[in-house]
Amino acid sequence: MAEITHQILDKKSIVKQVLIALVVGTILLVSAVLPAEYGIDPLGIGKATGFSKLYVGEANTETLASVPHKILQLENVGSGAEVPKPAAADNPAPATQLAERTDEVNVVIPAGKGLEYKVDMLKHGNLRYEWITDKGELYFDFHGEVKNNNNYFESYTIAYSNNMVGSLLAPFEGPQGWYFKNNSNEDITVKIRMKGQYLLKQ
């Protein structure tokens, strides 16, 4: 019967590994967590790596100063606790969904401005999508509104990016889609490909 041997680490090796783990953890905290979660970037690493753009608190109020009030609410993630969820959001899903379709659209986001692109969906309808810009990145809020009630909306994803791939199971009937904000000084075109159970908004 073979003898099982275990390598026993000496105290110096254990201390060395603990110190390495602490150094790596500190680097991640300073370069990623603090810039993305709290807008704190003492070394400028978050700005260089793009993590600071994920912070949507007070650090971004300067770039959002010229945005209308309604959009400022939207960029603060959802319509807020002060807006009650409409009773229609809890209606049951229909027995029959919309017919599946496929579309590709190009949406031009003017320099320094924002706009929305949405499709109409029934509750529990499926949507698979991908979008990409022709140049540069956009701020976006992927969200949905309850039918006939544009005061209440839910945000699903908020970030800065030049592309996104994903899917959505609509939580309620109503418009579902994206708000794009172009902070650059030139127009950006977004190509959106969609497949699912929806209707293009007229």
Side-chain angles (χ1 to χ4, degrees):
M1 185 174 180
E3 182 181 354
I4 300 175
T5 59
H6 297 280
Q7 183 178 3
I8 301 176
L9 297 176
D10 58 30
K11 185 179 291 186
K12 288 184 179 179
S13 296
I14 294 174
V15 171
K16 182 179 179 181
Q17 291 185 13
V18 170
L19 289 176
I20 291 173
L22 287 173
V23 170
V24 171
T26 301
I27 292 173
L28 288 174
L29 177 68
V30 173
S31 63
V33 177
L34 289 179
E37 294 293 330
Y38 303 101
I40 301 172
D41 190 16
L43 303 179
I45 299 175
K47 183 177 181 180
T49 59
F51 282 110
S52 59
K53 292 181 179 179
L54 298 177
Y55 178 66
V56 291
E58 295 179 359
N60 281 340
T61 54
E62 182 176 336
T63 60
L64 301 179
S66 61
V67 181
H69 179 65
K70 183 177 180 182
I71 294 175
L72 282 174
Q73 284 186 334
L74 198 138
E75 297 201 18
N76 282 335
V77 189
S79 48
E82 71 280 2
V83 180
K85 185 176 182 180
D90 296 321
N91 288 345
T96 304
Q97 283 291 334
L98 297 170
E100 186 170 281
R101 61 185 292 162
T102 301
D103 291 280
E104 180 177 308
V105 297
N106 291 315
V107 182
V108 178
I109 315 299
K113 298 186 180 298
L115 58 79
E116 292 186 334
Y117 182 82
K118 293 180 180 176
V119 295
D120 285 321
M121 299 182 68
L122 300 178
K123 186 171 185 175
H124 293 175
N126 285 293
L127 172 66
R128 295 185 297 281
Y129 61 86
E130 60 177 318
W131 59 260
I132 187 169
T133 68
D134 63 338
K135 55 183 176 293
E137 65 181 16
L138 297 167
Y139 170 93
F140 72 92
D141 182 334
F142 183 38
H143 65 282
E145 298 175 5
V146 178
K147 183 179 180 181
N148 298 326
N149 191 319
N150 58 10
N151 292 322
Y152 177 88
F153 63 91
E154 289 187 12
S155 295
Y156 313 132
T157 305
I158 295 180
Y160 285 84
S161 184
N162 66 346
N163 70 93
M164 185 180 183
V165 177
S167 62
L168 171 70
L169 180 68
F172 39 72
E173 180 179 359
Q176 313 285 337
W178 300 267
Y179 165 76
F180 294 106
K181 177 70 165 64
N182 180 0
N183 292 317
S184 75
N185 56 7
E186 57 182 343
D187 295 353
I188 294 178
T189 299
V190 187
K191 177 179 287 186
I192 308 173
R193 296 188 179 96
M194 300 173 291
K195 183 175 183 179
Q197 302 158 320
Y198 60 88
L199 293 174
L200 295 178
K201 290 179 67 64
Q202 299 301 316

